[in-house]
Amino acid sequence: DCLSGAPTDCDDGKVCTTDSCLTISGCKHVDVADDTLCGEAQYGRCLSGVCEGHDCPPGYAAVDIDVGGKAAKACAATGPVWGRRPNTPSGVYTIKTLGGDEVVSDSQTGLMWQRTPYLPAGKLGFAAAIQACDQLAFADYDDWRLPSVLELASLTDYSIAKSQAAIDPTTFPGTLQLAYWTATTSAADAKRAFVLAAGWGFLILNDKGGQNLVRCVRTQSTVSVPIQRFAWEPGGQTAVDSWTKLHWQRATNGAAISWTKAGSYCAGLYLGGTGWRLPTSRELNGLIDYASSGPATDAAVFPGSPGGMLWTSTIRADWNTYAWYVHFGTGQHGAETKVSDYEIAVRCVHDP
């Protein structure tokens, strides 16, 4: 006890008590006032010295987890998932001919794609693009639709150079190096929607009055995933993604640094252990919440996230002096020079 000269021995590990060492009787634990906020992001309430309820934000559930052999509470989020897709998709596509039309099935996402883009009218406006896919009867199916930004971005192959579209040319022939509409509207500006610039793989925002190409998609099968996605120990510095199994640094490094320094920062990071690294473009983009902006990510899981760019480890195939970034203010995706002093922030990731 604390009388032996170690007052820290009085810490009972409970957030709803105050601990002190009395020189005569030793440790003393006093319950804090009932209804005092406690727990992760102050979502719980103290009651008789115990953090009860651990109320989580809307869309979250309080779950019991094991941390070093001790029971703890965590908030877990729910939402869609794309799995741990590599920068170069391979072994996931199957080409089929149905009703005289060619389609491509993706075993990882459960999606079916038009093998060649929808081109009867060339480029279309945003509203016309949605209508064209909704009214499409193709390959014996009539439930086609315009893909979301994550769906269309799942086709990007980051190993392909700029001389051709950054989508597998064998699986998807005839893909032009132009912009393709997605059905995802900007959370910050309802007049703009995301497009995939197929020539580079950029995800950028375009005015809905503009004209772009279209590739329609349909849901072929539902990919089975856990209901709860992110979980984190209350007050913890990392979050676990139950869908990809990746461990994420909840905060960023807190400063803008060069791409080279970003890699060194992650390599030297110690959060429960070593082995941290820069995330790939696909991994980092998977944290974007396209229903939010500034930052476009889950603020409960990643508190204090900057509404700006974060580095990835993925290098542009056609220009190896540039590396990809993800913009957490808008959800856009681009590249910046990695050989100069151009500086942006970083959030590290750890493999399972």
Side-chain angles (χ1 to χ4, degrees):
D1 59 47
C2 66
L3 296 182
S4 63
T8 55
D9 288 347
C10 286
D11 185 0
D12 62 4
K14 298 178 180 179
V15 297
C16 289
T17 62
T18 56
D19 310 306
S20 59
C21 178
L22 303 181
T23 57
I24 298 176
S25 58
C27 293
K28 182 179 181 180
H29 310 290
V30 179
D31 296 347
V32 302
D34 286 351
D35 290 328
T36 299
L37 299 179
C38 61
E40 174 63 29
Q42 302 290 284
Y43 291 130
R45 297 289 188 278
C46 290
L47 180 63
S48 299
V50 178
C51 189
E52 295 284 0
H54 198 78
D55 298 327
C56 292
Y60 294 79
V63 296
D64 294 310
I65 61 174
D66 180 87
V67 181
K70 296 182 180 180
K73 289 285 188 180
C75 289
T78 60
V81 67
W82 289 107
R84 195 176 178 185
R85 196 169 178 88
N87 276 340
T88 303
S90 63
V92 299
Y93 298 131
T94 301
I95 301 170
K96 303 176 182 179
T97 299
L98 302 173
D101 299 316
E102 287 192 314
V103 295
V104 176
S105 294
D106 187 324
S107 62
Q108 190 176 46
T109 64
L111 297 174
M112 178 183 286
W113 294 92
Q114 289 182 295
R115 191 179 183 203
T116 54
Y118 181 93
L119 293 172
K123 293 183 179 182
L124 299 173
F126 179 75
I130 289 179
Q131 184 179 43
C133 288
D134 285 348
Q135 296 179 351
L136 180 65
F138 187 82
D140 295 333
Y141 291 101
D142 61 3
D143 57 350
W144 296 89
R145 55 184 171 78
L146 195 64
S148 72
V149 62
L150 283 176
E151 288 172 335
L152 191 55
S154 73
L155 301 183
T156 303
D157 185 334
Y158 292 99
S159 69
I160 297 177
K162 184 182 171 183
S163 57
Q164 55 188 315
I167 293 176
D168 185 341
T170 301
T171 305
F172 297 98
T175 301
L176 300 178
Q177 294 177 273
L178 298 171
Y180 289 75
W181 281 118
T182 82
T184 305
T185 295
S186 166
D189 185 354
K191 295 181 179 180
R192 298 201 295 170
F194 282 91
V195 300
L196 173 67
W200 298 272
F202 288 177
L203 291 174
I204 56 178
L205 289 166
N206 263 198
D207 189 278
K208 289 182 178 179
Q211 301 278 309
N212 293 298
L213 297 176
V214 178
R215 172 175 266 124
C216 304
V217 70
R218 62 177 295 273
T219 301
Q220 178 177 251
S221 60
T222 302
V223 179
S224 178
V225 297
I227 295 175
Q228 297 163 335
R229 184 174 183 182
F230 294 106
W232 60 95
E233 180 186 356
Q237 295 178 285
T238 63
V240 180
D241 186 337
S242 67
W243 294 338
T244 65
K245 310 304 180 185
L246 294 172
H247 293 236
W248 287 95
Q249 179 185 18
R250 294 183 67 196
T252 64
N253 65 318
I257 55 178
S258 68
W259 184 81
T260 301
K261 290 180 179 178
S264 298
Y265 165 79
C266 289
L269 187 64
Y270 187 95
L271 289 177
T274 59
W276 294 85
R277 60 175 174 81
L278 268 178
T280 67
S281 179
R282 191 94 68 191
E283 289 168 342
L284 190 61
N285 198 58
L287 299 186
I288 292 292
D289 177 0
Y290 286 96
S292 304
S293 64
T297 194
D298 193 318
V301 183
F302 302 104
S305 292
M309 297 181 287
L310 295 180
W311 283 120
T312 82
S313 64
T314 305
I315 299 171
R316 279 190 60 170
D318 61 319
W319 206 346
N320 63 13
T321 58
Y322 277 68
W324 289 94
Y325 67 80
V326 176
H327 198 297
F328 276 74
T330 63
Q332 296 183 98
H333 185 197
E336 277 296 347
T337 177
K338 67 184 181 70
V339 296
S340 70
D341 291 330
Y342 192 89
E343 298 180 335
I344 58 180
V346 59
R347 169 175 282 122
C348 307
V349 70
H350 197 293
D351 292 306

